[in-house]
Amino acid sequence: MNATRPHTALVLGNGPSIDQLDPAWLERVYSFGSNHIYKKFDTWGRTTDAVVITDSNRIQEIGTAYKHYPGQLFVGSEKCIIPNYASLRRVLGRDFVALKQLSKPMVSRYSFFKWFTYGERLQQVVFDKTRYPLSYEHGLNFGNSVITSAIQIAAIEGFRRILLTGVDANYPTPKSYFAGADTSINFVNHTFIDNPRLWMEPILVGLQIALEPAGIELIDCTPGGKLRFITKGTFADCLPPVENSHAV
């Protein structure tokens, strides 16, 4: 890892608790935003260092919003092993890092499977939600939330402490997002929002266990977050001292 880069990463979901984030804290971490986080940039007076998107519905909603974004943009699709780069570039209006999705061992033996787009039923057959190889080459376990991929990217990039915020894991209303994000949300997965912990937390716990042998801490600092089995912490205790450079 670049010696001038902060040693702590912060992964930001899009939950209402994002409105409680002090943007000054972003100076002390390397930040991975997700999905519609660009809507906070003007309010904060700064951007995140990177953004991750892995949901085809969100890609269509976001469109060219990141066209002039100065940070790294990581993009995958829950429907594909390898996304169609040319097609997504037309939608996004810019280059990006294409994310490979982890497939099950039997599927990965045959290279032709990587060129297809898979519907919801076939996704359960093709994609692996049980392993975490922490390798771009093997692919990322996309889980059921973009933060799962963002955490793996942070680990692959060499961060040894990964904090979470905006991972409220609770939807009092179908569009319980930070202020302003709800106006851009068109697709709502009602099965997911009825019990987000059921879909998110088992995979995050598995990821937390997979990170342990590498000495990587995963700490949920989401104010009022409903995750129960991920290590809990506060920004007061977990943020490192101010560092001066975020060079990659």
Side-chain angles (χ1 to χ4, degrees), residues 2-7 26-30 46 49 240-247:
N2 190 318
T4 63
R5 189 168 64 177
H7 294 288
L26 298 179
E27 297 297 330
R28 301 161 67 176
V29 296
Y30 191 92
R46 61 153 294 148
D49 296 298
V242 175
E243 300 187 42
N244 294 323
S245 174
H246 285 217

Side-chain angles (χ1 to χ4, degrees), residues 192-207:
F192 177 84
I193 68 173
D194 283 346
N195 194 342
R197 284 188 58 229
L198 180 63
W199 295 98
M200 294 173 60
E201 194 153 13
I203 290 175
L204 290 175
V205 169
L207 177 53

